[in-house]
Amino acid sequence: GHELALTNTEGMILSRLVSGKITSYLDLTESLYEDREDGGPDDPNNVIAVTLCRLRKKLKDSPIRITRSSDKHVRLFLDRIADEVLDD
């Protein structure tokens, strides 16, 4: 395998998605900013969208895919071909 250089935000979002559960932008916002006194940025959805875009680029050569539904729910999954390769 190869290592990815991730920001703290990218790492947190990726760790939330690894569970396989569908995650909402609201859940991600709460996880990212619940401990901050200032409550986080004015537009946390934009931060999450940009971070997901960067993660997709970093993961483009891997079997991992990040999808987003129209209602801003996010999910991570492995391509079917990758599952077969990983099972060998």
Side-chain angles (χ1 to χ4, degrees):
H2 89 225
E3 289 187 31
L4 290 176
L6 299 176
T7 66
N8 289 338
T9 302
E10 291 168 344
M12 193 290 307
I13 289 177
L14 191 58
S15 69
R16 289 286 302 221
L17 296 175
V18 166
S19 71
K21 295 179 183 173
I22 296 174
T23 303
S24 71
Y25 271 41
L26 180 60
D27 291 340
L28 292 174
T29 298
E30 289 173 354
S31 294
L32 282 170
Y33 304 114
E34 67 185 351
D35 294 334
R36 286 184 44 174
E37 287 182 27
D38 65 1
D42 291 336
D43 188 3
N45 285 342
N46 186 54
V47 173
I48 292 169
V50 169
T51 303
L52 289 171
C53 182
R54 286 194 309 238
L55 276 171
R56 284 186 192 100
K57 286 179 183 178
K58 289 181 178 185
L59 297 169
K60 70 179 175 153
D61 294 328
S62 80
I64 298 171
R65 297 290 171 260
I66 298 172
T67 62
R68 185 188 77 131
S69 65
S70 60
D71 61 351
K72 293 189 177 177
H73 282 78
V74 183
R75 184 173 181 189
L76 179 141
F77 66 96
L78 290 174
D79 284 344
R80 173 177 261 172
I81 294 170
D83 288 338
E84 293 169 8
V85 170
L86 293 173
D87 287 340
D88 287 346

